[in-house]
Amino acid sequence: MIDELRRIDLFEDLTDDELAAWEVEMRTVPEGEVIVEQGTDSPGLVLLFDGTVAVSQGSEPLAPQSGPTWIGAIAAITESPLPVRLRAGTECRVAIVPRERFIELARAQPSVHRKVMSVIGPVMRGVQARQSSRERLTSLGTMAAGLAHELNNPAAAARRAAADLVHAVDVINHALEAFVKSGIEREDAAKLLDLQHEALDSGRAAGQLDALDAADAEEAMLEILEARDIDGAWKFAEPLAAAGLDADWVDRVQTIAGPATAKTLAWVSASLTAHDLAAELLESTDRMSKLVKAIKTYAYMDRGGVVK
């Protein structure tokens, strides 16, 4: 046993007489068997003569230990739970020096005590680094979930706005086709274009109404359109009201467009809707861009270490 112990660097400065005090019982551990479970009270110093021990902390694998070496000295000498799980990665030959006996021998043999003390700093720094890494990864996971949720909202808004924008463009195209078929003169077409620009300018200048005021404005516009016997008045009331247009503007359109008034209002309404959708789409993509940039500021941290 003295020859076996001398293979482990913890005992390299001891004499044969000093090594003889380390009475240990060696046993063979089959591959896969747990030698010490994480969080249990330290059984003492684990001596690994041959084989490889898999070391893990929670679900996180750490650097494996290969014999001949020693494990768990810090937990034993500080009388604290072992912070890792030790499992035989291959068939191993191991021995455990009971905690009380190990503390007694380490105090009696300065070279052993010095070696244990020399690894406390590096090991504790490694433990703290892994803990910091786990905390950052946990924080990153939480942030990623939140960002995914936040990213999904503008993405959905962008998809909806894009689909509605396609519909608005189709309405505009159909309205222009109707103008041509209705025989509107070039001069009148120019006047209607001016009225469209007026509506767009009014829409850009109009502030966002609260739900109650928006509903009242839409109802008032619907009454204006129905009073003028405009077909499909309910289709145009909301965008025209949101743009802050009034009865005077509707009358000027009707005077110029005549029987094509409904088609003209459809064209203007679709133009207003397309403008709003384009602004919404731009806002959504800008928000997504900022979120993606935030995600890119975080980097993945490497993990690993040795526990003595």
Side-chain angles (χ1 to χ4, degrees), residues 75-142:
I77 208 166
T78 57
E79 300 184 60
S80 57
L82 194 69
V84 296
R85 182 175 189 255
L86 305 179
R87 181 181 57 82
T90 65
E91 183 177 270
C92 301
R93 292 195 307 140
V94 302
I96 296 180
V97 182
R99 183 173 61 189
E100 296 300 329
R101 180 58 176 163
F102 169 61
I103 294 174
E104 178 185 345
L105 288 170
R107 288 173 177 170
Q109 298 174 346
S111 65
V112 173
H113 189 267
R114 282 195 300 270
K115 282 186 179 295
V116 173
M117 292 299 103
S118 70
V119 301
I120 286 182
V123 169
M124 292 308 297
R125 284 193 293 271
V127 170
Q128 291 171 355
R130 287 192 297 275
Q131 180 64 26
S132 176
S133 176
R134 282 193 296 272
E135 290 174 354
R136 288 191 61 184
L137 288 172
T138 299
S139 176
L140 178 60
T142 302

Side-chain angles (χ1 to χ4, degrees), residues 246-261:
D246 55 17
D248 176 68
W249 182 88
V250 174
D251 288 338
R252 284 184 285 149
V253 170
Q254 191 170 35
T255 299
I256 298 170
T261 297

Side-chain angles (χ1 to χ4, degrees), residues 164-175:
D164 291 345
L165 188 58
V166 170
H167 175 70
V169 171
D170 287 341
V171 172
I172 292 172
N173 290 336
H174 292 155

